[in-house]
Amino acid sequence: MLYLWLKALHIVAIVCWFAGLFYLPRLFVYHAMSEDQLSRERFQTMERKLYRGIMMPSMIATLLFGIGMIAMNPGLFATGGWLHAKLTLVIVLIGYHHLCGAQLKHFARDENNRSHVFYRWFNEFPVLLLLAIVILVVVKPF
């Protein structure tokens, strides 16, 4: 029963984390397009609160609940090649998360040198990761 609770909480944490991963780069799009100081300051506040208040705790919760599930079922490592692939993609996702944090710092220092078009493309990457991770977990192709 504990395993099912961990899985449920893991899924909730993932949903919250991905909500932030989808929304923060969208804020970057609008921030890059903003022309007045008041708008830039507003976006800086929104980005900081989203990253620190939602994304970081959600990422940590996702990882902790996931580690808990693996600890309860370590046999998955021996038979679940899909799990190795999923964990590799999760590492990439953590890198993307921290890349978002680095971009947030550039905006906070008014040092952004990328266009809104870059951030529109940047925003699509977590969609691809989510698609691949869900397919690996549900289909378990190997």
Side-chain angles (χ1 to χ4, degrees):
M1 189 60 144
L2 176 60
Y3 185 84
L4 295 177
W5 278 102
L6 288 174
K7 185 185 272 190
L9 293 171
H10 181 68
I11 292 168
V12 170
I14 290 167
V15 169
C16 294
W17 188 22
F18 268 94
L21 288 170
F22 292 152
Y23 189 49
L24 184 61
R26 178 55 49 182
L27 288 176
F28 292 161
V29 169
Y30 301 136
H31 194 159
M33 293 172 54
S34 65
E35 296 179 3
D36 61 287
Q37 187 60 29
L38 182 61
S39 295
R40 287 192 293 273
E41 289 172 2
R42 184 176 300 125
F43 283 118
Q44 288 171 357
T45 300
M46 293 169 65
E47 292 158 359
R48 185 184 69 251
K49 287 182 177 186
L50 176 62
Y51 188 77
R52 291 182 185 163
I54 295 172
M55 292 173 63
M56 285 299 286
S58 297
M59 179 187 70
I60 291 167
T62 297
L63 297 175
L64 289 176
F65 294 132
I67 290 167
M69 288 190 308
I70 290 171
M72 290 187 74
N73 193 0
L76 285 175
F77 276 113
T79 60
W82 64 270
L83 181 59
H84 295 267
K86 175 201 171 192
L87 293 175
T88 300
L89 293 177
V90 169
I91 290 169
V92 172
L93 190 61
I94 292 167
Y96 179 83
H97 174 101
H98 289 292
L99 192 56
C100 285
Q103 292 300 319
L104 181 130
K105 290 177 184 177
H106 287 234
F107 276 114
R109 294 189 304 257
D110 288 323
E111 295 174 355
N112 175 53
N113 57 4
R114 300 184 190 274
S115 73
H116 66 93
V117 175
F118 168 83
Y119 292 110
R120 289 180 194 278
W121 285 104
F122 183 74
N123 193 30
E124 301 305 321
F125 188 66
V127 174
L128 301 174
L129 289 175
L130 178 62
L131 180 64
I133 290 169
V134 169
I135 289 170
L136 285 168
V137 170
V138 174
V139 178
K140 295 178 175 65
F142 46 88

